[in-house]
Amino acid sequence: DGQSGAGWVFLNGATCSPWKDREGPFWLYEAYQLADSLCTTSVSVPLLWDTETHKIVSNDCWEISKLISDASSDLGFCSCPKNVLRVISKQGQHNSIPTLFPDDLKQDIEQMLKNNVEPLLDAVETGYEYLRNGKIETSLVLEGRTKVFAMLDKLEELLGNRSYLLDNLTGVDVRLAICLLQFDACYWGLFELQSSEKYRGPILTSDIYPNLKAYTREMYQLMKPAVYFESFRQLYRLGQAIEFTRDSYSCNGATSYKALNRGNEEQLPDLHKIAAALEMPT
């Protein structure tokens, strides 16, 4: 929420216990406080909630992905769209149960994540440090920007002769694809990555990274029902929320209306152009 600085909010309320059917918006910090009244951690998404014990199972998207995939495999089904089943890995007694984390590939998946995806994610994370510090280019921020471009180049080379990071579509592909989808939609502008001398152009709406573009386009076809580009724009509200919270605890008085709406004056990426670039050529 960019206006109050109170964090993630679901305007239509929550659909799970104990907040189900309660009128009005649901603030995610309520889940953290109910699970632990002394909790001081940052409020983040996604969050896997146990509706029976009213406890947080995990707020780590990688762990949540593995938990859901393993649970689905144990039950003998997969919630993926049918067109995904033709490329997803299989396991089980008759090698027929689809899973994003097959037992025989789990070590390879974790290694691929550690060597090629987490470094990119960690580098992108320094963008939040940039916003928290009032857009000051600290050494950490500058190092992070350099690492972003280095990892993009590394992944561009890696995907030059393969369709997926491993032999089949696995959870590490989903993790990378979600990150790549957000670059043109918000990361470049929000974290001002395009101001770096190493910036050569966007991933999806140019041909600077042809392998990454083809890879992301292929993954988008498989993930399309679950991709909501407008949600990526919510990240632009983080700067407003950080500034509001900082000024609320400052002795300089209340945040001005102009400061609150500064993010609205920025030129936002054209989501229609990005989505069009992701459609398979006819």
Side-chain angles (χ1 to χ4, degrees):
D1 172 48
Q3 273 66 53
S4 71
W8 294 96
V9 59
F10 297 83
L11 297 178
N12 294 324
T15 59
C16 60
S17 173
W19 304 282
K20 185 179 181 180
D21 299 326
R22 190 186 72 177
E23 294 184 0
F26 167 71
W27 302 88
L28 192 58
Y29 69 77
E30 296 182 55
Y32 283 81
Q33 289 183 341
L34 181 60
D36 181 359
S37 60
L38 300 179
C39 176
T40 58
T41 187
S42 59
V43 177
S44 63
V45 293
L47 184 143
L48 184 59
W49 178 257
D50 190 321
T51 58
E52 294 186 1
T53 65
H54 293 170
K55 298 289 185 182
I56 295 174
V57 178
S58 177
N59 65 349
D60 182 272
C61 61
W62 185 245
E63 292 301 321
I64 292 173
S65 297
K66 291 190 288 186
L67 286 169
I68 293 176
S69 182
D70 288 345
S72 299
S73 295
D74 290 341
L75 294 173
F77 72 90
C78 179
S79 59
C80 296
K82 289 183 179 180
N83 62 327
V84 179
L85 300 183
R86 61 183 173 82
V87 293
I88 199 171
S89 296
K90 309 289 195 304
Q91 71 177 16
Q93 184 177 359
H94 302 292
N95 196 37
S96 61
I97 302 174
T99 175
L100 290 170
F101 297 90
D103 293 335
D104 61 336
L105 289 178
K106 282 184 176 180
Q107 186 173 350
D108 292 336
I109 290 172
E110 294 292 346
Q111 197 65 35
M112 180 62 72
L113 178 77
K114 179 180 179 181
N115 294 339
N116 299 293
V117 179
E118 280 188 343
L120 176 62
L121 299 174
D122 292 341
V124 170
E125 283 288 321
T126 61
Y128 297 105
E129 181 74 13
Y130 176 63
L131 295 180
R132 283 193 293 267
N133 288 334
K135 295 189 175 183
I136 297 175
E137 294 181 332
T138 63
S139 59
L140 178 63
V141 169
L142 294 175
E143 289 172 9
R145 285 181 180 174
T146 299
K147 195 171 184 179
V148 164
F149 295 104
M151 289 310 304
L152 288 177
D153 288 339
K154 182 180 180 180
L155 287 164
E156 172 69 16
E157 182 178 358
L158 180 66
L159 291 166
N161 58 359
R162 62 180 75 180
S163 298
Y164 305 106
L165 293 173
L166 297 173
D167 292 337
N168 296 91
L169 172 67
T170 64
V172 72
D173 289 297
V174 176
R175 189 74 181 94
L176 175 60
I178 289 296
C179 178
L180 294 176
L181 284 169
Q182 295 183 74
F183 264 90
D184 289 14
C186 64
Y187 289 161
W188 293 128
L190 177 64
F191 301 143
E192 299 184 8
L193 291 169
Q194 74 271 37
S195 65
S196 170
E197 61 181 14
K198 295 184 179 297
Y199 176 75
R200 292 179 289 154
I203 296 174
L204 304 178
T205 56
S206 76
D207 295 317
I208 302 297
Y209 300 96
N211 297 329
L212 284 175
K213 181 177 180 178
Y215 170 82
T216 309
R217 178 183 285 164
E218 174 67 23
M219 289 298 298
Y220 177 69
Q221 305 310 309
L222 304 175
M223 301 164 57
K224 192 173 181 179
V227 176
Y228 185 54
F229 276 107
E230 286 77 3
S231 67
F232 298 154
R233 277 191 173 173
Q234 292 300 312
L235 289 175
Y236 277 94
R237 301 168 70 88
L238 286 175
Q240 295 172 261
I242 291 170
E243 188 169 337
F244 181 94
T245 303
R246 182 189 297 117
D247 288 355
S248 295
Y249 288 94
S250 171
C251 297
N252 297 326
T255 304
S256 68
Y257 177 82
K258 180 179 180 181
L260 274 177
N261 289 276
R262 188 172 299 156
N264 296 332
E265 301 169 1
E266 299 173 2
Q267 182 65 42
L268 297 178
D270 187 338
L271 297 184
H272 294 291
K273 183 178 179 181
I274 295 172
L278 285 166
E279 294 298 336
M280 298 297 286
T282 56

